[in-house]
Amino acid sequence: MNSSAHRKALGQFLKARRAELSPRTVGLPETDRRRRVAGLRRDEVAMLAAISTNYYTRLEQGRLAPSTSVLSELVRVLHLSDDQRDHLFELAGKEAGRVRRRAPQKAHPRLRTVLNELSVAPGVILGRHLDILAWNPMAAALFGTDFAKVSQQQRNYVRQLFTDPAMRTLYADWDDSARNAVAVLRQQAAARPDDRRLADLVGELSVQDDQFCQWWGGRPVVPRTGGTKVFNHPVAGELSLAWDALTCVADPDQQLVVWSAEPDSRAYEGLRFLSSWAATPAMNS
């Protein structure tokens, strides 16, 4: 295709992707007013990408060749997958688009909304490499960690499992939890063999922990997305909690992991006590 045909195809791609997304998907409020077009409006995409509506309109009309920085913003705003990102850059004639440099993940608004509604159940949003993207106060209380004080680069569930000695005491069956985490990472590594950050994480943990190295190189284990875990909490005592991992439909690279207990059970009362303890000034000082 010539440059004019590429620009036209680029515009069609943007228009089609825009139609697939709802305001809620990208964190915009939804109103009761009926929308004249499916998906997002042009002005909404332009606003989120910090460009003018006129500029974005000309992109969709195939009248303009976008810069690399604008393309990167559109990748973020339109929640494009790696393959979609590469295709977008290819249509724009930008070689840099073929280099898979992932932007830092952010918790999806839908998952964050659900997480914020959890008052007694601990919950975290995990992204690629099991990075901890968001958490509620109950999760911080359960794991005894102020995640806000941990740098974004270090805020990783697997790293915490293998490098924080308290985790080995907290989990009654630490080996099982750690093996499952390794299985998830192996699954991701198989799907993304060129993921440099994942390779760095695996290399770091292989050097620091012999068990991680052994399990990584051993027989593959099928990761689970639910079950029951027993925690030996230093304040709330023994907590037998069901756990579920809910995948985000809009971004399959994110999961909301929730630990819960049946109402009126001993574990539920333990969570209620933990909730009260977490809310005290002494715990938060």
Side-chain angles (χ1 to χ4, degrees):
M1 289 191 293
N2 57 33
S3 59
S4 176
H6 271 92
R7 290 198 300 269
K8 185 176 180 180
L10 174 67
Q12 292 172 341
F13 176 82
L14 292 174
K15 185 176 181 179
R17 180 56 180 166
R18 171 169 65 86
E20 295 173 348
L21 301 175
S22 68
R24 191 173 185 180
T25 302
V26 296
L28 293 175
E30 294 194 40
T31 64
D32 294 332
R33 188 177 65 179
R34 186 173 181 178
R35 302 174 70 84
R36 292 185 298 174
V37 296
L40 299 175
R41 300 192 304 266
R42 284 175 174 171
D43 62 310
E44 291 173 329
V45 175
M47 177 192 69
L48 292 169
I51 57 179
S52 71
T53 302
N54 179 59
Y55 184 98
Y56 180 76
T57 299
R58 292 169 67 192
L59 284 180
E60 282 201 359
Q61 293 174 342
R63 298 164 52 199
L64 194 66
S67 66
T68 300
S69 60
V70 168
L71 288 173
S72 297
E73 284 301 301
L74 290 174
V75 168
R76 176 184 61 81
V77 170
L78 297 175
H79 293 266
L80 300 185
S81 67
D82 284 340
D83 289 339
Q84 290 171 323
R85 178 186 190 275
D86 288 351
H87 183 57
L88 178 71
F89 273 76
E90 183 179 358
L91 290 175
K94 305 293 184 181
E95 291 293 329
R98 295 172 186 170
V99 179
R100 295 177 183 259
R101 294 180 181 176
R102 298 174 182 270
Q105 259 186 311
K106 295 183 179 180
H108 194 279
R110 287 185 189 175
L111 290 188
R112 189 179 286 276
T113 297
V114 177
L115 178 66
N116 291 339
E117 291 296 321
L118 301 176
S119 57
V120 177
V124 297
I125 298 175
L126 300 179
R128 293 186 296 266
H129 323 133
L130 299 187
D131 288 333
I132 301 173
L133 306 180
W135 60 93
N136 64 2
M138 282 296 293
L142 177 64
F143 292 108
T145 301
D146 185 351
F147 295 111
K149 294 182 178 180
V150 181
S151 69
Q152 184 177 359
Q153 187 72 15
Q154 297 294 313
R155 201 184 298 146
N156 180 275
Y157 177 70
V158 190
R159 181 182 282 109
Q160 186 178 15
L161 271 176
F162 282 93
T163 63
D164 184 354
M167 295 291 282
R168 297 175 186 260
T169 303
L170 179 65
Y171 278 96
D173 190 350
W174 178 86
D175 282 20
D176 181 73
S177 297
R179 280 177 179 270
N180 192 59
V182 172
V184 173
L185 283 189
R186 287 190 62 152
Q187 193 176 63
Q188 292 190 9
R192 304 185 182 95
D194 59 344
D195 193 320
R196 186 67 244 173
R197 185 159 179 266
L198 177 56
D200 290 343
L201 175 63
V202 172
E204 171 194 338
L205 294 178
S206 296
V207 171
Q208 292 186 11
D209 193 278
D210 291 340
Q211 283 178 294
F212 180 91
C213 187
Q214 176 186 349
W215 291 336
W216 184 263
R219 184 175 179 179
V221 176
V222 178
R224 301 184 306 280
T225 57
T228 302
K229 286 297 172 187
V230 177
F231 295 89
N232 296 317
H233 197 273
V235 174
E238 182 180 295
L239 299 171
S240 181
L241 304 177
W243 71 277
D244 294 278
L246 312 175
T247 301
C248 179
V249 176
D251 184 356
D253 281 343
Q254 297 190 31
Q255 288 187 323
L256 171 62
V257 181
V258 180
W259 292 267
S260 60
E262 291 291 332
D264 300 324
S265 66
R266 178 179 176 183
Y268 184 79
E269 292 305 316
L271 287 178
R272 285 173 58 88
F273 173 77
L274 188 60
S275 178
S276 300
W277 175 75
T280 60
M283 188 269 175
N284 294 296
S285 61

